[in-house]
Amino acid sequence: MSASQSAVRSRAEAVKVSRTFDWLIMFTLFFVILGGYHVHFMLVAGDWDFWSDWKDRRLWVTVLPIMGITFPAAVQAILWWRYRIPFGATLSVLGLLFGEWVNRYFNFWGWTYFPINFVFPSQLVPGAIVLDVVLLVSGSMQLTAVIGGLGFGLLFYPGNWPVMAPLHLPVEYNGMMMTLADLSGYHYVRTGMPEYIRMVEKGTLRTFGKDVAPVSAFFSGFVSIIVYFLWHFFGRWFGSTAFTKGS
Amino acid sequence: MKLIKDGIAKLSFVALLVTVTAAMFYAPTASAHGEKSQAAFMRMRTIHWYDLNWSKDIVPVNDTMTVTGKFHVFAGWPETVAKPEISFLNIGIPGPVFIRAGSWIGGQLVPRSVTLELGETYEFKVLLKARRPGDWHVHSMMNVKDGGPIIGPGKWVTITGSMSQFTNPITTLTGQTIDLENWNLGNIYFWHAFWYAFGIAYIAYWARKPVFVPRLIACEAGKHDTLISAMDKKVGIGFMVATLAIVAVTMESTNAQYPITTPLQAGLLRGMKPIEMPARTVAVKVDSATYRVPGRAMQMTLTVTNNGDSSVRLGEFMTASVRFLDPAVHEDDTGYPDDLLAEEGLTVSDNSPLAPGQTRTMEVTASDAAWEVYRLADLIYDPDSRFAGLLFFTDEAGNRQMVTIDAPLIPSFI
Ligand SMILES: [Cu+2]
């Protein structure tokens, strides 16, 4: 068979082959992103995402979007600039959440018996949708970074609040006040994690009084913008075909 | 050549799968069996756990038991270990097989980290509620920031019954009674499923017709702009508006449903109340101490002075949770773990009652296989070859008095 000869003979067949490619690529991409993103997230956001008694109004709100926007930015860069596909961020986040849920359900609950209501992952989908749509509509990397990045940071806390609020009900326990999330952390013994490791409500944003979460969210959004740029260029570089030219 | 290529392709696929799955297999460490691997000087010169009591050997699910006792924070705390300024009273169990229903130091609840003072002795209590059936080794445990975990003695406790019967009812300050074991679970699953489906719907819109091949071809031909239609943008905006609306509405409805919430609570607890120890009436001076490697025995020459008004006898030497007893003076009836108890491990050259005002020099030998089993003998390879421990003297009325000792140790290899 000569190289110039097409492998497909009809339009229907071309579509079929193209579809097969889609599934293959989508499947591989999903799991490759999942693997990389999940490892990255465990290393940099680890405990803040593992335990509900770490999910405070300062560091959780600040750290997670900043560390979470990395892979979505890079994958967007590849899918958008090479294919004009506007779901890079959503695909990344769904990959991460899939990996996290498998890990939390089978290891944290199935193997070590921590209740799921103590070890469920954080929600990132709303921010990812906004990131994707801003890129789709504007077609601009700068605008996506600024509006999308800020949105990614700002949507994190409200996007998670419906599942977090019930864990922040106050309890009086043997003469001390704590939230249900604190109580989970106290009840469900983590031998390897003494209480002092927990980084809760620490930081210098105290001057804003009661409204710490919005301030943290804005701060997180601003840093997310910078991180977006950085990882977008990683993605561009990674997705370039400069080194395979001529094939 | 093709064979090699195929081989590489296969291998890299396997490598990929391994990487992907590796991350999913991360599980928080559940084991608490570091006790023997911890450096001997850590166990001898930091925190001494004594008068321990495990209230039960067998506990049905939902029943409680306590681990109580005292711990002495050693005044000769090693330089190489951070001082216990930020410490946490933990419990050494393999994950949440029990829940920690309460823990107290000197009567104060300690769900958070505390400051401990060197040289003081504290009373502690940990209340455990059985959750998962099995045989579990239950250790007392203190975590010291920058110093690591200091594990006390462990005892086997059996939990019977079924974990499915376990409940953890809690009444909140807003008046609701909930089961913390599964509270909020439906809500968590619902919202995670909802947003996952929402994300899939967004991707499905783009994947309804061939995705990668035609788009790549068009992009390579420079026709990027033809790939996004006005309709596509409208749908995208629709998804974004829906996202923002859902987030805003659920935020509002959540606040309406839970008007009272509090932030996570944290912070160091200071001022733990130590036990008011009665004035020490027995003074001990360590003249010399030798560890005989072949005999697995430690020999000490002690000069003991009784300044009290009742005669005393040396009943016990305890170090790193291993207790050496002279059965003629003291027998253990608390059910202390066998492997840590040398019931006849202590021999004293002259252990007749030491009358008030008297001073005597005695040869004390503490010998047991535990020196090897618990790797206490490794002490002789430490950079600072010292040993430390507690001596317990028993008076005529049966009261026990604790005296700490801390001295250099010379190994003897013959
Ligand atoms: Cu053990």
Side-chain angles (χ1 to χ4, degrees), chain B residues 384-408:
Chain B
D384 183 6
S385 186
R386 288 181 83 81
F387 81 102
L390 307 181
L391 294 172
F392 291 89
F393 291 89
T394 307
D395 70 10
E396 287 160 38
N399 298 318
R400 304 214 311 150
Q401 182 172 158
M402 185 261 278
V403 179
T404 58
I405 50 171
D406 180 9

Side-chain angles (χ1 to χ4, degrees), chain B residues 83-120:
Chain B
K83 302 276 182 292
E85 271 146 20
I86 302 177
S87 328
F88 178 64
L89 177 66
N90 212 331
I91 187 82
I93 50 176
V97 295
F98 287 92
I99 62 161
R100 173 173 38 215
S103 54
W104 294 264
I105 294 177
Q108 154 86 56
L109 187 78
V110 286
R112 306 199 210 136
S113 303
V114 300
T115 301
L116 301 174
E117 305 289 338
L118 298 192
E120 296 287 3

Side-chain angles (χ1 to χ4, degrees), chain B residues 8-211:
Chain B
I8 292 172
K10 266 184 203 153
L11 271 180
S12 37
F13 187 67
V14 171
L16 177 78
L17 280 180
V18 170
T19 321
V20 167
T21 42
M24 291 197 214
F25 281 110
Y26 170 80
T29 40
S31 165
H33 281 261
E35 64 238 53
K36 289 175 200 171
S37 54
Q38 195 161 48
F41 77 95
M42 275 283 283
R43 286 175 281 156
M44 283 189 178
R45 294 174 54 199
T46 52
I47 286 183
H48 289 288
W49 306 87
Y50 70 100
D51 280 358
L52 290 179
N53 186 274
W54 290 257
S55 69
K56 289 176 189 169
D57 294 322
I58 299 174
V59 203
V61 166
N62 281 324
D63 270 17
T64 57
M65 68 171 282
T66 57
V67 180
T68 53
K70 302 185 180 100
F71 63 88
H72 175 75
V73 184
F74 204 64
W77 194 275
E79 288 303 312
T80 44
V81 180
K83 302 276 182 292
E85 271 146 20
I86 302 177
S87 328
F88 178 64
L89 177 66
N90 212 331
I91 187 82
I93 50 176
V97 295
F98 287 92
I99 62 161
R100 173 173 38 215
S103 54
W104 294 264
I105 294 177
Q108 154 86 56
L109 187 78
V110 286
R112 306 199 210 136
S113 303
V114 300
T115 301
L116 301 174
E117 305 289 338
L118 298 192
E120 296 287 3
T121 306
Y122 299 86
E123 203 154 21
F124 79 96
K125 174 174 156 184
V126 180
L127 178 67
L128 299 170
K129 183 174 170 184
R131 179 167 176 255
R132 192 178 145 212
D135 294 324
W136 313 110
H137 215 201
V138 179
H139 290 261
S140 60
M141 184 172 171
M142 183 72 71
N143 292 91
V144 173
K145 192 176 184 190
D146 303 323
I150 297 165
I151 304 164
K155 189 173 178 179
W156 290 100
V157 177
T158 304
I159 298 180
T160 58
S162 155
M163 190 171 147
S164 60
Q165 302 301 309
F166 178 79
T167 57
N168 191 6
I170 302 290
T171 303
T172 66
L173 282 174
T174 52
Q176 282 164 279
T177 298
I178 57 113
D179 183 356
L180 195 55
E181 185 76 1
N182 51 33
W183 164 245
N184 197 31
L185 214 50
N187 190 39
I188 292 167
Y189 285 138
F190 173 80
W191 282 110
H192 271 270
F194 174 84
W195 283 114
Y196 212 93
F198 197 83
I200 289 178
Y202 178 74
I203 292 175
Y205 172 77
W206 301 99
R208 71 194 190 286
K209 24 181 215 214
V211 186

Side-chain angles (χ1 to χ4, degrees), chain B residues 356-390:
Chain B
Q358 269 197 335
T359 297
R360 182 190 300 157
T361 298
M362 42 188 163
E363 295 289 330
V364 177
T365 308
S367 61
D368 193 78
W371 282 107
E372 288 296 323
V373 177
Y374 280 89
R375 298 201 205 157
L376 298 179
D378 291 0
L379 194 64
I380 56 177
Y381 303 111
D382 275 343
D384 183 6
S385 186
R386 288 181 83 81
F387 81 102
L390 307 181

